[in-house]
Amino acid sequence: MNAYRIRPLDKAVDTTAFQCGQPSLDEYIRRYASQDARRNVARVFVATPASDDSHLAGFFTLSAGSIACTELPEALAKKLPRYPVPVALIGRLAVDVGFQGKGLGSILLVDACQKVANASAVLAMAGIVVEAKDDSTASFYQHFGFQHLPGSPTRLLLPAAAFFAS
Ligand SMILES: CC(C)(COP(=O)(O)OP(=O)(O)OC[C@H]1O[C@@H](n2cnc3c(N)ncnc32)[C@H](O)[C@@H]1OP(=O)(O)O)[C@@H](O)C(=O)NCCC(=O)NCCS
């Protein structure tokens, strides 16, 4: 049986006690996430322990975006058109301190990439971009194959070829 249930944010989830170590992310899930979902600015997914549907253990957001070819690593830019290309954005991803270091961040990231790969059957994307909060979280994403975008210490990209079935 899965240890966590991942589903779109709903009213059954208690966001008030969530703390991940980044106050801006705590505030986002408490105050702005449901509004973003309602306005179609972001899809918000939450993870709760299988035994407790209301306990927020982690969350991530997905949105559509685009990136200029000048912002891409040169090797990838060479294979793409010179105009901005579509990407998926993992705008935010966070795990409550009580659940950190136990693999949930990895589960959420893999789930986000799978959702993007599924969506890519009907909506083309050249890759997934994440906005890490600092150097340390950037290394979390590098662990999974994301590469720094040139000139940005906190924006990283996973090219489509790394996660789409060919
Ligand atoms: C970053 C974060 C999502 C990781 O979640 P987690 O559940 O603790 O991560 P996992 O247990 O799945 O760890 C996966 C791997 O990444 C590594 N890792 C975890 N946090 C890391 C960090 N901050 N920096 C670098 N590596 C990290 C782990 O050591 C682990 O490596 P291993 O597989 O070799 O053991 C979590 O610490 C968090 O929410 N931090 C605060 C919010 C934040 O900064 N979010 C990201 C920016 S939006």
Side-chain angles (χ1 to χ4, degrees):
M1 197 180 86
N2 288 334
Y4 299 98
R5 190 175 156 223
I6 299 175
R7 66 185 195 276
L9 175 63
D10 60 32
K11 289 198 167 89
V13 182
D14 177 14
T15 59
T16 56
F18 186 83
Q19 281 191 334
C20 71
Q22 291 274 357
S24 62
L25 291 171
D26 301 343
E27 190 180 16
Y28 175 80
I29 192 67
R30 284 180 207 150
R31 297 188 55 185
Y32 302 112
S34 55
Q35 189 175 310
D36 272 5
R38 256 196 328 273
R39 293 177 178 177
N40 293 313
V41 172
R43 294 282 166 251
V44 184
F45 296 92
V46 294
T48 54
S51 56
D52 183 354
D53 259 7
S54 66
H55 193 145
L56 180 59
F59 73 92
F60 64 85
T61 67
L62 287 176
S63 305
S66 74
I67 189 163
C69 62
T70 50
E71 293 178 84
L72 291 167
E74 206 181 316
L76 182 60
K78 275 199 284 195
K79 299 178 191 159
L80 290 167
R82 306 305 294 165
Y83 48 81
V85 293
V87 291
L89 299 174
I90 300 177
R92 295 170 175 87
L93 186 151
V95 171
D96 184 83
V97 285
F99 293 85
Q100 287 181 12
K102 299 174 185 168
L104 180 56
S106 314
I107 291 170
L108 292 176
L109 188 54
V110 169
D111 192 87
C113 292
Q114 277 170 351
K115 283 180 166 48
V116 173
N118 292 342
S120 75
V122 292
L123 193 67
M125 281 164 277
I128 303 177
V129 169
V130 294
E131 183 70 52
K133 289 294 165 202
D134 50 37
D135 288 355
S136 158
T137 45
S139 58
F140 167 74
Y141 290 110
Q142 282 177 299
H143 198 80
F144 295 91
F146 281 77
Q147 46 190 274
H148 276 290
L149 289 175
S152 171
T154 55
R155 289 183 85 211
L156 297 95
L157 170 93
L158 186 67
F163 65 96
F164 290 174
S166 50

